[in-house]
């Protein structure tokens, strides 16, 4: 059974940094794509960053966030710098293999002003 486990969330002041990790287990092959989404209270889930054939970012995080992958470990990271209060939300890891999508449980990121 494939599982994605996020870590690295927390409370940080505006302007600070956090690094999220997403560790996958139960899969012997490299994911086609791995990415990060976030869910803020009262808002729809939105794509933050994704790494597959190309790397794409939401306009709101370009220049501040960086997604990376360690394919040998099937792990994805999200380096978040210059955090803003509007970055607050639950960050969920997403991975795709053979047209099947997997989700982690999420990690809370709270940015105080």
């Amino acid at each position: 059974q494939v599982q994605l486990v996020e870590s690295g969330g927390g409370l940080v002041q505006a302007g600070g940094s956090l690094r999220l990790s997403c560790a996958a287990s139960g899969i012997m092959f490299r994911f086609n794509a791995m990415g990060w989404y976030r869910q803020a209270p009262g808002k729809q889930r939105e794509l933050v960053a994704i790494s597959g054939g190309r790397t794409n970012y939401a306009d709101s995080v370009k220049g501040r966030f960086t997604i990376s992958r360690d394919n040998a470990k099937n792990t994805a990271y999200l380096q978040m710098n210059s955090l803003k209060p509007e970055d607050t939300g639950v960050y969920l890891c997403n991975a795709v293999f053979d047209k099947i999508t997997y989700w982690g449980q999420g990690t809370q990121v709270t940015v105080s002003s």
Side-chain angles (χ1 to χ4, degrees):
Q1 182 178 0
V2 177
Q3 287 188 321
L4 303 177
V5 178
E6 303 96 334
S7 61
L11 173 64
V12 64
Q13 287 188 332
S17 298
L18 285 173
R19 186 181 190 232
L20 306 183
S21 298
C22 171
S25 61
I27 184 166
M28 298 294 291
F29 305 99
R30 174 186 171 185
F31 288 113
N32 303 118
M34 295 187 77
W36 292 92
Y37 287 70
R38 68 186 176 195
Q39 180 89 55
K43 295 185 178 181
Q44 288 188 328
R45 186 176 295 184
E46 62 172 344
L47 173 67
V48 175
I50 189 164
S51 175
R54 297 183 300 175
T55 299
N56 290 305
Y57 295 92
D59 288 342
S60 61
V61 307
K62 284 181 181 176
R64 299 187 298 121
F65 291 11
T66 304
I67 187 172
S68 60
R69 293 171 64 177
D70 182 337
N71 292 321
K73 298 180 180 179
N74 255 337
T75 299
Y77 304 95
L78 186 67
Q79 178 66 44
M80 307 186 294
N81 298 328
S82 302
L83 282 160
K84 303 176 181 180
E86 51 263 44
D87 294 319
T88 293
V90 176
Y91 282 69
L92 301 108
C93 180
N94 166 282
V96 178
F97 177 73
D98 200 21
K99 300 181 181 180
I100 299 174
T101 299
Y102 302 92
W103 290 94
Q105 292 297 309
T107 184
Q108 177 71 43
V109 171
T110 302
V111 184
S112 63
S113 57

